[in-house]
Amino acid sequence: MSSAAHDTKIRRLHTRKSKKASLPFAPEKVWIDKKVADHPQTIRILNKLKNCDYDVVDNVKKLKRPSDLSAAKKQMVLTYHKGDAFKPCQGIGNEHLCCNYRVIDLISGCPMDCSYCILQSYLYNNPRTTVYVNIEEILSQVATFLSKNSQKFFRIGTGELGDSLALDPIVEFASVMIPFFASKRNAILELKTKSTFVDHLLDLNHRNRTVISWSMNTPEIIESDERDTASLDERLEAAKKVAAAGMGVGFHFDPIIIKKDVGEMDRYIKVIDRIFDELEPKQISWISLGLLRYPKDLPNLATQRFPDTSLFTGEMVPSGNKMRYLRFIREEAYRPLWEHLKSKLPPHKIYLCMETPAVWEKVDPTVKGNSCIEKRLCNTESINFDYQAKPTIF
Amino acid sequence: MLLQYLNVSSLNIADDSYRITFAPELEELKRSVKVAGIIQPINVRHTPEGTYQIVTGYKRVLVMQELERQSIPALIHEPNDLSPTQAFLWSLHDNAVARSLNLIEKSVALTKLNQFYQMSEDELAKQFLPLIGEEPSFKILHQLMSLDSLTEPVKTHVVKSKVALSSASRMSEFTPSTQQALLGVLSHINPSTNKLNELLALLREISARDGLTVEDILSRYQLLQVVVNPTATSADKVSALRQALRGIRLPQLTERQKQLAHLIQGLELPTQAKVVADPYFENKNMKLECQFSHPEELDSVIKKIQAAFEKQKWQEIFEWYRT
C-alpha cells in the first residue's frame, strides 16, 4: 500500500474485489409495491428468488432509506414506472456532439459497485436497485414512438441508470426486449453490461436488431475500481459468444481514466489489441471512447466509500455541472486511441461519447454535428439490415 | 430520588457515560455561581458500585471545582429508578433544549446513542437530528458521526474556530498525525468554508496522486512557510496557499494560464481594456472588455488595441489558444 493510502483511514465497507459477476445477483430483501404485487412479471421474478425475504408495501417511496449505499445495493424494489420511461440520452441538448441515442429506464441502480459510478450521486436519495415490472407498457411507449417516427432510425439502450444485463438472470427483460426489437424496422437495441450473462440470449431471434456492448477498461482499473464485475477476459469471452450467435457486439471505453498523464493510454491500446485478437472487425458494431467525467459531488461520496481509489487525481476542471479533464488533455488522450482504432476499424464505427465540437475537430474534423455521428452509427448497422424500404436517414 | 448536598469530590467526573458537553465556556456560569450559588440541583446516578455518575450539570460541577467549593445540591437517582439510556436522554434533552450544541457535542450525542444505546441510524436521523437542530438527513448524520475520529486538539479547533460540518467531516478522513499537521497550518489562517474544503480536497488529491502523505506535501513544498508570514493577512495567506496547492494539483492548467497571461501582457493593452478567456480553455471564445467615460477615451483605447492587432500579437494568442 502506498504511503498515501496509509494517509486516509481505511474504513473499508467492502472486501477486495472478488469476481462475482458470473454469479447472479441475490438480493437480501425485496420490497414489492402493492400495485404490482399480482403483476405477472413480479410473480415470475419472485419465483426466481425463492429464498429471498420480501415484503409488500403500500408505497415504496416511503421506505426508509438504508443508511448507506452498500446496504441499499443488497435490496431490490419491484414497482412500476409511471410517466415517460423512454427518453433521449442526457447527452442530447448539451454542449456536446451527441449520437441522438435514446434510453429506456427499466432498472434503476446496480448491484455492481464501481468507484466512479455516477449513480452514487444521482441515486443518493433512492439507492435501492429498482426494477420496473411494467415492461410491456414501457415497450408500448417505444412502439408508439417508433411508429410515429417511422422515417428515422434510432439506437436505443437500457444501460443509463443500471447495467443492462446484471439482473437479467432474475428479471429476464432482455428475453422480452430482443424479440420486441427484432420486429422493428427502424430501431436497434443496445444492451450495455459489465457482466457475462449472455448464454440465455444466444438462441433468441434477434434479426440483427440487437447489439450487446461491454464497458471496457484496463485490467488494472477493473481490478481496483470495478467491484463485482466480470474481468476483462470474461467480458471478451462473453462477447465472442454473442458474436458467434450473430448478434452485434459493441465496446465502450468509458470511463477512460488518466491518473497522472496521457502515457496511461498505452494500457488502453493493449485492451484494444485484445479485442481484435478475439473478434473480427466485421463482428463489431461500434466502439466508443469517453474520458472520465462526473458530477462535482462524486469524489467526496466515492472516496468515503472507497478511500483507496486514485481515480479522481487527474487534472479535472469544472465544465457545466460536471468535472472533466482539461480540453487539451482530452485531445491528447483521444488521439492515440482514435488512431489505433482507425487502423483496425472503419472510422464510422468509432465515436467519442459526450465530447465537444472542439475536441471532435482535433480527433476527426469530418464530424461536424450530431446528425453526422448519428448517421454514421446507424449506417454501420443498416448495412446488415434487410429493409423493405430504407429509412430516409440513409 | 433524593435531594442531598453531595461532596464534589465524591462525584466521578472521569465517568463520561452521559456527558455531551465539549469545550464548555464557563466564565458566565462561574460569575453567576459566585453571586447566586447553584440554583438548580444537578442529577446524579448512584451506581451499584457506590459511585455517583453525573447525569446533568457537568458544567456546574466543573465551576464548583474551579471555585473550590465543597458541596453541590444533587438529585440522586438509584440505578433501578433511572436506566443508563434514560439517563443519557435526560442529559441530551437538558443540553439540547437549553442551548445550541456545538458540532462536537452533536457528534458525541449521536455516536453514544448509536454505540452504547443501540439507536438505529434511522432513529437517529428522524428523531434525534431535529432535536439537536439539524435536518433529518443521513448525509448530515454520517458527517456528524465521522467527527468522532477527530483528534482532541482538532475537535477544539473545530469548536473555537467554528469550522463548518462539511469541512470538519473532511478533516476526520485524515489520520491523527495528518490532522495534527493540518492543524499546524489551519491555526494560522481562517478560510471560508468553501476555501477550506477546496484546500482539503487539493491536499487529499495530491496525496492520492503522488503517493505522499499530507505531512510530506506540506514539508516538500514548504507550505507552512506560506501561512506563517506575520505581515500577511489571513485572506492573503489563504490565497497564497490555494495558489500553491493548485499549482501542484493542476500543473498543466497552471502552466497554460501563466502562458496566456504572458501573451495577454504582450498585447500591451491600455489599462482600460482587458482580455477575458475561459480559465479552463474549454470555450475558445474570448472577450475584450473596455472601459471609457468619453468619446476621446474610447478612440484612444481602440487605437491602442489596433496597434497591438497590427503587431500580429492577437494572431499569436489565437494560434496558441487553439493548440
Side-chain angles (χ1 to χ4, degrees):
Chain A
M1 189 185 289
S2 70
S3 53
H6 281 294
D7 200 33
T8 50
K9 270 181 229 167
I10 307 303
R11 289 185 295 168
R12 283 180 197 280
L13 300 174
H14 298 267
T15 54
R16 261 289 169 210
K17 180 179 180 64
S18 62
K19 286 292 168 199
K20 289 193 296 189
S22 50
L23 298 174
F25 171 55
E28 288 176 359
K29 174 87 185 177
V30 178
W31 303 95
I32 302 160
D33 192 327
K34 195 175 169 184
K35 294 187 186 75
V36 301
D38 297 326
H39 195 287
Q41 294 288 357
T42 304
I43 293 163
R44 205 176 43 71
I45 290 169
L46 289 179
N47 277 334
K48 291 263 181 183
L49 300 168
K50 281 181 181 151
N51 297 322
C52 182
D53 178 27
Y54 66 87
D55 262 328
V56 178
V57 290
D58 286 341
N59 186 350
V60 289
K61 287 187 179 157
K62 289 191 176 169
L63 285 171
K64 288 177 183 172
R65 182 192 183 278
S67 58
D68 67 68
L69 184 55
S70 303
K73 278 181 176 284
K74 293 173 187 158
Q75 299 186 16
M76 182 190 263
V77 174
L78 302 180
T79 185
Y80 67 102
H81 197 303
K82 57 178 182 183
D84 206 353
F86 177 55
K87 53 199 173 196
C89 165
Q90 58 165 319
I92 296 176
N94 288 332
E95 71 277 21
H96 318 116
L97 289 189
C98 182
C99 59
N100 285 337
Y101 197 74
R102 297 188 77 87
V103 293
I104 305 174
D105 290 342
L106 290 172
I107 289 170
S108 142
C110 179
M112 298 167 175
D113 212 357
C114 301
S115 312
Y116 52 73
C117 181
I118 57 169
L119 299 183
Q120 294 173 97
S121 166
Y122 285 175
L123 302 178
Y124 188 85
N125 292 316
N126 187 19
R128 287 185 182 85
T129 303
T130 301
V131 176
Y132 303 109
V133 297
N134 55 329
I135 180 171
E136 281 84 5
E137 278 174 53
I138 293 169
L139 289 183
S140 127
Q141 289 174 21
V142 178
T144 307
F145 176 87
L146 292 177
S147 132
K148 276 187 186 164
N149 295 278
S150 60
Q151 295 309 300
K152 279 196 80 181
F153 191 87
F154 296 93
R155 291 164 64 246
I156 298 171
T158 63
E160 188 182 51
L161 293 178
D163 186 284
S164 297
L165 293 176
L167 297 180
D168 219 51
I170 301 169
V171 301
E172 295 183 340
F173 283 169
S175 310
V176 179
M177 300 190 75
I178 292 174
F180 171 86
F181 276 89
S183 70
K184 302 296 165 208
R185 57 174 288 281
N186 61 329
I188 189 162
L189 169 69
E190 181 180 34
L191 299 170
K192 278 186 199 170
T193 189
K194 290 182 184 124
S195 80
T196 57
F197 302 131
V198 296
D199 290 349
H200 62 302
L201 310 176
L202 302 177
D203 294 331
L204 294 174
N205 177 18
H206 54 81
R207 274 194 69 244
N208 294 328
R209 294 297 198 276
T210 297
V211 171
I212 301 191
S213 299
W214 276 266
S215 298
M216 299 300 266
N217 224 306
T218 65
E220 295 81 8
I221 298 285
I222 292 174
E223 179 61 28
S224 62
D225 288 283
E226 296 185 352
R227 290 159 201 82
D228 301 337
T229 66
S231 68
L232 178 62
D233 288 345
E234 288 167 338
R235 292 179 206 187
L236 286 169
E237 205 51 45
K240 275 166 69 179
K241 286 186 197 173
V242 165
M247 265 188 259
V249 172
F251 294 102
H252 299 284
F253 284 86
D254 199 344
I256 296 167
I257 312 278
I258 306 167
K259 292 183 181 177
K260 272 195 168 175
D261 58 61
V262 293
E264 293 161 48
M265 294 307 100
D266 288 348
R267 292 178 184 172
Y268 287 94
I269 285 174
K270 284 184 187 153
V271 180
I272 292 172
D273 288 340
R274 285 291 317 280
I275 291 173
F276 289 94
D277 286 347
E278 303 290 345
L279 292 157
E280 295 294 324
K282 65 180 179 195
Q283 294 176 306
I284 297 172
S285 299
W286 49 67
I287 294 184
S288 77
L289 302 172
L291 281 153
L292 179 68
R293 63 268 178 208
Y294 49 76
K296 287 174 185 170
D297 62 344
L298 184 69
N300 205 29
L301 292 171
T303 50
Q304 279 172 17
R305 301 184 64 228
F306 311 114
D308 289 352
T309 190
S310 52
L311 291 187
F312 305 106
T313 54
E315 285 206 49
M316 311 293 286
V317 293
S319 172
N321 57 357
K322 289 193 175 174
M323 299 292 288
R324 65 191 312 173
Y325 296 114
L326 283 162
R327 174 179 57 82
F328 46 87
I329 293 178
R330 302 204 304 277
E331 289 166 0
E332 208 182 327
Y334 282 133
R335 212 169 285 134
L337 299 179
W338 186 273
E339 290 304 316
H340 197 65
L341 277 172
K342 240 172 54 178
S343 70
K344 303 199 175 267
L345 206 60
H348 63 268
K349 289 190 173 192
I350 315 166
Y351 68 101
L352 305 179
C353 188
M354 288 195 189
E355 261 310 342
T356 59
V359 172
W360 267 105
E361 194 183 323
K362 288 283 169 60
V363 175
D364 185 346
T366 65
V367 173
K368 297 288 185 197
N370 292 341
S371 62
C372 186
I373 310 174
E374 182 188 10
K375 279 181 190 171
R376 284 181 10 165
L377 290 167
C378 290
N379 271 327
T380 298
E381 290 311 306
S382 71
I383 294 160
N384 299 322
F385 294 159
D386 178 22
Y387 283 110
Q388 292 295 316
K390 281 191 174 184
T392 53
I393 194 168
F394 310 122
Chain B
M1 182 175 64
L2 183 69
L3 177 59
Q4 199 177 313
Y5 271 83
L6 283 181
N7 198 319
V8 173
S9 63
S10 71
L11 298 169
N12 186 357
I13 294 180
D15 183 341
D16 65 353
S17 301
Y18 314 123
R19 188 183 308 156
I20 289 164
T21 305
F22 181 85
E25 293 287 346
L26 297 177
E27 286 312 306
E28 209 173 313
L29 181 60
K30 206 187 284 182
R31 277 197 298 275
S32 159
V33 169
K34 275 182 188 169
V35 174
I38 297 288
I39 299 165
Q40 185 91 13
I42 63 169
N43 281 279
V44 297
R45 187 169 179 271
H46 195 193
T47 67
E49 294 76 35
T51 60
Y52 292 104
Q53 294 176 301
I54 300 168
V55 177
T56 69
Y58 173 66
K59 281 190 289 189
R60 278 164 277 171
V61 173
L62 288 184
V63 164
M64 293 298 266
Q65 266 192 332
E66 283 191 21
L67 295 174
E68 297 180 342
R69 302 280 172 91
Q70 298 295 309
S71 62
I72 185 165
L75 287 166
I76 302 168
H77 303 268
E78 291 305 318
N80 291 341
D81 299 334
L82 187 64
S83 69
T85 307
Q86 194 61 36
F88 188 77
L89 290 176
W90 277 21
S91 168
L92 176 57
H93 280 265
D94 185 59
N95 281 285
V97 170
R99 64 192 176 88
S100 294
L101 303 185
N102 64 46
L103 287 182
I104 303 303
E105 291 171 331
K106 289 176 180 179
S107 170
V108 168
L110 295 166
T111 306
K112 284 186 173 175
L113 283 167
N114 182 241
Q115 288 181 358
F116 303 130
Y117 303 108
Q118 279 74 50
M119 298 285 179
S120 70
E121 291 198 349
D122 205 61
E123 286 172 300
L124 295 179
K126 304 268 167 64
Q127 292 174 32
F128 289 96
L129 283 181
L131 175 68
I132 59 176
E134 296 287 352
E135 293 289 317
S137 131
F138 278 104
K139 189 177 175 189
I140 292 173
L141 176 68
H142 293 155
Q143 284 183 327
L144 280 168
M145 289 176 70
S146 73
L147 306 191
D148 190 43
S149 310
L150 291 173
T151 62
E152 289 301 305
V154 174
K155 283 180 181 173
T156 305
H157 175 79
V158 165
V159 174
K160 301 288 180 203
S161 301
K162 296 188 168 55
V163 174
L165 175 58
S166 59
S167 310
S169 175
R170 280 169 196 235
M171 288 163 76
S172 76
E173 291 164 11
F174 293 104
T175 59
S177 63
T178 299
Q179 288 179 29
Q180 204 52 39
L182 282 174
L183 198 54
V185 174
L186 296 178
S187 57
H188 295 282
I189 53 177
N190 186 23
S192 67
T193 299
N194 283 347
K195 289 277 192 313
L196 177 53
N197 286 348
E198 187 186 357
L199 295 175
L200 294 171
L202 287 166
L203 280 167
R204 183 175 182 137
E205 287 161 5
I206 296 165
S207 167
R209 182 192 63 191
D210 297 346
L212 296 170
T213 63
V214 170
E215 293 92 312
D216 289 340
I217 297 166
L218 295 175
S219 142
R220 177 178 293 190
Y221 299 102
Q222 303 184 326
L223 296 175
L224 192 56
Q225 282 85 318
V226 175
V227 295
V228 293
N229 179 0
T231 58
T233 65
S234 173
D236 288 343
K237 290 177 192 176
V238 170
S239 172
L241 181 60
R242 179 173 174 267
Q243 207 174 341
L245 284 171
R246 279 177 67 85
I248 301 162
R249 173 69 185 88
L250 303 168
Q252 295 191 64
L253 175 66
T254 309
E255 186 53 36
R256 284 252 166 174
Q257 287 174 335
K258 274 187 199 161
Q259 287 174 15
L260 179 62
H262 179 73
L263 286 169
I264 290 174
Q265 204 180 4
L267 292 173
E268 295 173 350
L269 290 174
T271 51
Q272 303 97 318
K274 187 166 82 168
V275 174
V276 182
D278 177 359
Y280 303 122
F281 304 97
E282 192 66 50
N283 188 338
K284 62 185 175 188
N285 292 337
M286 282 187 259
K287 207 159 61 175
L288 179 63
E289 290 178 354
C290 298
Q291 276 191 336
F292 48 88
S293 53
H294 48 84
E296 294 76 18
E297 192 178 12
L298 174 60
D299 186 48
S300 157
V301 169
I302 290 172
K303 279 181 182 147
K304 285 177 183 168
I305 292 169
Q306 182 68 28
F309 194 80
E310 281 162 7
K311 281 191 271 176
Q312 297 294 309
K313 296 271 186 185
W314 282 104
Q315 194 59 29
E316 212 176 302
I317 288 189
F318 285 117
E319 278 167 15
W320 172 86
Y321 199 83
R322 285 173 185 178
T323 56

